Each structure stands twice: as C-alpha cells, then as structure tokens.
Amino acid sequence: MSVAPLAVEVICVFCLAAYLLHKYGNIRRQHVLVTLASLVAWYFSMIIIFILPLDVSTTFYKICLGSIQPPVTPAAILSPPTNATPHANHTYTDAPSSINTTVNDDQSLVRRDALFDTPTCQVPWSYVQEHVLPNMWHVVYWTSQILTWLILPFMQSYATSGDFTIQGKIKTALIENAIYYGSYLLIFGALLIYVAARPDLQIDGPRLKMIGITASNTWGLFLLVLLLGYGLVEVPRKCWTSSNREQLLAYTRFQVAKLSTDKSDTEETLEDILEEVSKASEAIRYNHPHRKYMDTILRKVPEDMQGRLNRGMDDYEDYPDGRSASIPSEKDLVALHRKTIRAVTSQHRTQIQWDILMERAFGLEDIAESEKCADRRFRSTFPQHYTGILKHICTPTVEWYWKCLVRPWVLKVLTVILAIFSFVVIWSEVTFFNKKPVLSLFAIFINVAAQNYDYFYIELASCLTITYLCVCVYFTVFRIRIFNYYYIAPYHQTDSNSLLFSGMLLCRLTPPLCLNFLGMIHLDKHVTGNEDQEIETAYTSIMGHMDVISFLSDGFYIYYPILVIVVALGTFFSVGNRCLGLLGFQQFIGDDDMTSDLIEEGKEMIKREKRKRQRVEDGEARRKSWRDRYGTTKDRVGSLQNRDASDSDSAKYSRVNDKDDSAQVELLKDSEPLDYDDSLAENEEFDRAKYTRSQAGRSSRQTTGSRWTGGRGYGSQAPPKGLFDDV
C-alpha cells in the first residue's frame, strides 16, 4: 500500500492539463481568470478519468475481503474500533497471519491486522486509505458541478457581452443563461414535484441533494448517448479515411470549398461591421462622454484593420453641407460592441480552420507527388526545417517511408482495433443490465482480472475504456454544425470563448459517462439490479443512487443507453448526411454530383492558395538574399553617404538623405513603407492646432497600451485580454 501511485497520477494529470491548455490557448493574451477556470475544469475532468480506475481496483479488493471474511463485530475486537483501514507501515502478504492488535499512539485506536490479511486476497499496488478517495471525489465533483452550471456559462456570456459596465454585463449574462438554467431547473422542479407527491418520502437535505445530482446526470446522460452513438462509428471511420490518401484528399478539397463560403460570409460581415465602427468613431469626438466606449470597441478590431480606422478618426470635420454626423447612443454602442466581438471571433475561427485545411491539403498533395518518385525521397512544397536531433532523424528518405508506406498500414490496423473496441462498447451498453448470465463484455473481462488479482490490468483497461468513451463523445461535439461556433485549434489559436465552452462540456459530461462505465462493468448495483453486491466504489457513494426517483433508476438509466445502437446504425449508413443532402445542405457523399463539383472547386482553391504562398516565400527569399549581399538599410544609407562625400562623380546619390525620393534606397529598403503617422511627423509641417487636436483624439487609445500606426497593431505591450478590460 502506498500513496505514491495516486500522487504521481495527480501530478501527471495536472501537467497534462497545463500542457494542453498551453498548446491550445494563448496564456499571454487571454485573461488570467479564463486561464484558471479552464485549467481547473480540464484538470478536474481528467482526474476523474485517471483516478476512477484506482477506485475500481480498490473496490474489487474490498469485495474479495467481504466474500472471504465475514464482518468483524465490535464484540470480537478487544476494544471498540473505528473504521478499519490498513496501517500505513504494514506490509501485506498472502500467507495467513495471527490476529494481532496495534495501538496508534496518535489517535489511540485499536486496529487488527486480520481485517485485511487474508489467505487469498492481495492488496492492490495503488491501495490508499479509505478516507482519501471519498474526500477527493467530494472536492472534484462539486467543484466541477459549480463550474459547469454556474461559473463557466456566466463567464462565457460575460466575455461576449457588449455592455461597458460590470452591472450591464452581469445583467446580460443572467438573461442569456436564463434558458440554459431554465432547462436544469425544469428537470429539478419536475423531480421535486414527483418526490413531494409520494407520501412515503419526505423531502430533506440528502434527498434534495440527490434530486440535484439526478437532474444533472439526467441532462448529461440524455446528451451523452446521442454523442456517443455517433462517435463510436465516426472515430474508426475517420481513422480509416485517413489511411486512404485519395479519399482523404477528396474530402479535404470538399471541406475547403465548403469552408470558403463561410470564410467569405464572415469576412463580408466583419467588413460591414467595421464600416459601422468607422462611422461611429468619426461621429463621436474625443471629448464626447461616449468616446471611452468607442475606444473599447476599437480595441476589438483586428490588428490588420486598425490602420484603416485610424485614418478616418483623425478627421473630425462636419459634412460639407453643414450637417453633423448622428452620434450613436449608448444602447447602439452596446449592440455594435457585441456584433464586433462576434464577428471578430467568427472571422478568426474560420481563418484558423482555413489555414489548417490548407496545410493538410498541401501535405496530401506532396504525398501524392512523392509516391511517384523512384528515389524514394519525400519532396515537400513548403519543407519543414527541423533542428537538433530531429534534423538527422527526419530525413527525406525516412519521411517518405513513414508517410507513403508505413503510416497508411498503421492507421488501418488502428482502425480495426477501434472498430472492435466500438463493437464491445455498443454490446456492453445494450446488455449491461443483464446480470445472469453476464453479457457485458467489459464486466466479464474485469471480473476475470479481479479473480486473478491483476489490479494493474483492471486499472489499465478501465483507463483506456473511459478515455475511448471520452474521445468518441468530444469528437462528436466539435463535428456537429450547431457547435461550429466553438473551435479548438492548436498553436495557441483557440479563443477564450471556446476554452470556456470545452471546460463546461468536460465537467458536464464526464460524471454521467463514468457512472455509465461503472454500470457496464457491474459495479453499480442500483443500475444492474445486483442486490447481492454490498460494496461499491467511493465515486458511487458520493454520487448516490436514484432510488428516490424510481422511474429513473428502474427505467431511464437502464434502458435509455440502448438507444446508442440506433444512433450508431444511423451514423454507419449516413442517414443524417443523406437527409441533409436532400434538404440542400452540402454533405460529403461520394456518388453525388454536388459533391463532385465541390471537390473540383476546392482543388482550384488549393492551387491558388499554393501559388500565393509560393510567391510570398519567393519574395522573402529574394529579400533575404539581398540583405545578405548588401546589408541593412542603415548600412546601405551610410555607405552611400560616404560615397557622396568622397566621389564627386556620384551625383546621382546627392539626394540620399531624402528617403522617400531616392528610388535606389526605396528599392533596397527591407521594411514596409513608412507608417502614415511617422511620415507625417518626419517630412511635413502641420498646422499646430490641427496636429494637437489629432493627438488628443488618440490619447484615450494610447492609454490602453496599443500602438495605432498604420495597421501595425499593438506595440510592445500586450493587447487587452478581453474579460474585464471593457469596464
């Protein structure tokens, strides 16, 4: 017995959650509260997945003790004991041992070694004291429930609210979550009325807590079965599609053509909203009370579009006919702020999806071209430059063998394994309520391992099973169109709204998923109906049972998971895609004319994007070669000035100090043309009054730490983080 495995798992899971948050989120840009809330939500959800197998192995050990040795009564012990737990310093063996008593000097408690030393039962290698896991489940479960039902939805609505005050944002967040909270309260109220109408039950604190847990699990299980049925078929299918290069390339081209429509729509929407922002910025002058609200909206404008708005904000003149621009009210600015946030988020999401699809398409086309090479060397259009030891490992020959020969077979073998796993899950879902004979394959495998005291196998099999169930569920979440507003992208490209949404779903779906797993392995007697089993997991003791609401415990929780096979069959035969295709929605169906047209359209888009990126890379290569040959701009200007002073025949360099008039210097410059504000400050003399008024108009923006210079975006300081910067 040792707490080392538990401590190692807790630390490793925390490192895994922190790494994933660092990979997908942008810690430097997002607010610290968003980072903390997402980290806690991800960590507590993952810790349930990895700690529950330890609870399962411990439960089987307790079941073994209960079947071999009858309970010890207080009269059989020399002095009254407390809850019997193994001593931390005791070494357990399989040989019989005499009944000895040891006194704990700190607590003055009498313990008996015979309570846990039996001739047949072996102690799990990860066994911990009995009070550890229940206390941990209390903290993990209730914290995750508070996050998923209260804090995360509120933070999500608060961050996307267009109000400029804390009170306004709170009010908007409560209104937006009214429907969301109402669905939970509706289930809770219906269950409360059911319990109150039964004369044999009295409403007290424990029963109210059980009703709340039941409402949460009912909401989660209802959604879980639908998502799981889709993912159990689609995850192996996607793995098989990835092994077929031609089919995957056709599907990628289809996605490119389909996404281009969304990309164009989001860009046009953002352009329209930015036009409204520009007009409002011109109408609201720097000394207007609403100017601080306008500056908040301007901070949400993408960096590459800020210069366009900047030129319009310097001119505060009235219209030629004497009319003044209509000044928006605070309510109008709130609506404009909200539209700007949503438009910028949608544009960022589609742009990230577009870049990822293009990278995938380029890689697949490179594989298709490299397969034709007789020298078996991988040729990439945009080669990736490796450093360190990877430079010697990832050679073109090794890359060719992996991508063109080995990887497809690895994916095919993995597809077969996942398909078998999905079949076992579906079979166990539809048969886990049958206890005699036991038909659930997971229950059979786990029970055989428990009889052989193979606790490591029990924990490994449980961890892999729960992980696969989570992969199937969360894979479905981000494939469904209704959730397309949220997108998880690597390389720090996930926005705060998507991070909060993912944490909320993890906290909401993981507890009912784990309860469903315990039912499949027959460790929840109230689900399987096995009344002979008196010992259950510590997780089940915290979650409680649904005996208070009999129609759920005896009906919904047992027979509703059978619907997973209906959803799986519908997904296998692509019933949903075909129905959406008949309704006019673009779906990838191999024998459809619309699909073929979209594939050809996506192929042409990929070609245009490849030519565009190649031109950019060629330009960068030419500029780099020119800089290596002639040095930087400052060195070239100094060299030309020295030649002016030493050689009188070099009259063509007499105007070298005039940067904008010298064609040679302009050609040699390695940077972009001078910014609008910088060129004005260096080369022109302005009217002092107008210049002062223009600078005053920028002062409120400069105090936020942003640098508004010709679309360059933010300067050395970090941009606003988007949660409390609006108030």
Side-chain angles (χ1 to χ4, degrees), residues 141-214:
Y141 177 76
W142 289 111
T143 302
S144 61
Q145 290 302 300
I146 292 174
L147 283 173
T148 188
W149 291 105
L150 297 176
I151 298 178
L152 294 181
F154 183 83
M155 289 180 64
Q156 195 176 8
S157 300
Y158 187 98
T160 58
S161 173
D163 296 270
F164 301 102
T165 61
I166 295 179
Q167 294 82 359
K169 284 181 172 290
I170 292 176
K171 180 180 178 181
T172 302
L174 292 176
I175 293 175
E176 287 185 354
N177 287 279
I179 299 177
Y180 173 73
Y181 294 140
S183 63
Y184 177 80
L185 293 177
L186 179 63
I187 299 175
F188 180 83
L191 298 178
L192 183 62
I193 294 174
Y194 173 81
V195 174
R198 294 184 58 180
D200 56 332
L201 295 178
Q202 295 181 356
I203 300 178
D204 51 10
R207 284 191 172 88
L208 285 177
K209 184 183 74 172
M210 185 53 54
I211 292 174
I213 295 175
T214 303

Side-chain angles (χ1 to χ4, degrees), residues 11 70 76 121 129 155 189 198 327 338 396 464 485-486 535 609:
I11 296 174
C121 296
Q129 295 183 0
M155 289 180 64
R198 294 184 58 180
I327 299 177
R338 181 180 181 84
L464 292 177
Y485 180 72
Y486 309 98
I535 302 176
E609 186 71 18

Side-chain angles (χ1 to χ4, degrees), residues 8 64 83 119 137 139 187 217 282 311 327 376 401 418 461:
V8 170
C64 177
N83 292 333
W137 291 137
V139 175
I187 299 175
N217 290 336
E282 293 176 357
R311 291 193 292 270
I327 299 177
R376 296 191 174 185
Y401 275 100
L418 295 179

Side-chain angles (χ1 to χ4, degrees), residues 81 122 124-125 156 198 212 222 234 379 381 405 408 423 501 570-571 638 663 670-671 711:
Q122 298 181 7
W125 66 286
Q156 195 176 8
R198 294 184 58 180
F222 180 82
E234 199 62 26
R379 290 172 173 82
T381 306
L405 189 62
F423 173 78
F501 178 77
T571 304
D670 59 292
S671 59

Side-chain angles (χ1 to χ4, degrees), residues 290-304:
H290 290 170
R291 185 64 203 184
K292 56 183 179 180
Y293 302 149
M294 193 69 240
D295 293 337
T296 300
I297 298 176
L298 292 173
R299 289 199 297 268
K300 303 297 171 46
V301 177
E303 298 176 0
D304 57 343

Side-chain angles (χ1 to χ4, degrees), residues 16-28:
L16 176 62
Y19 168 76
L20 292 176
L21 184 61
H22 171 72
K23 179 180 179 180
Y24 291 97
N26 194 336
I27 299 178
R28 294 183 179 180

Side-chain angles (χ1 to χ4, degrees), residues 271-336:
E271 289 286 345
D272 296 339
I273 293 176
L274 290 182
E275 185 177 354
E276 297 181 21
V277 172
S278 182
K279 291 180 181 179
S281 179
E282 293 176 357
I284 301 177
R285 304 189 177 185
Y286 67 92
N287 56 355
H288 195 277
H290 290 170
R291 185 64 203 184
K292 56 183 179 180
Y293 302 149
M294 193 69 240
D295 293 337
T296 300
I297 298 176
L298 292 173
R299 289 199 297 268
K300 303 297 171 46
V301 177
E303 298 176 0
D304 57 343
M305 299 182 180
Q306 291 172 359
R308 185 186 315 172
L309 299 176
N310 185 38
R311 291 193 292 270
M313 289 185 294
D314 289 339
D315 186 10
Y316 293 94
E317 301 295 335
D318 295 338
Y319 290 99
D321 56 359
R323 295 183 296 105
S324 298
S326 59
I327 299 177
S329 63
E330 183 177 352
K331 185 177 181 180
D332 296 334
L333 291 178
V334 168
L336 181 61

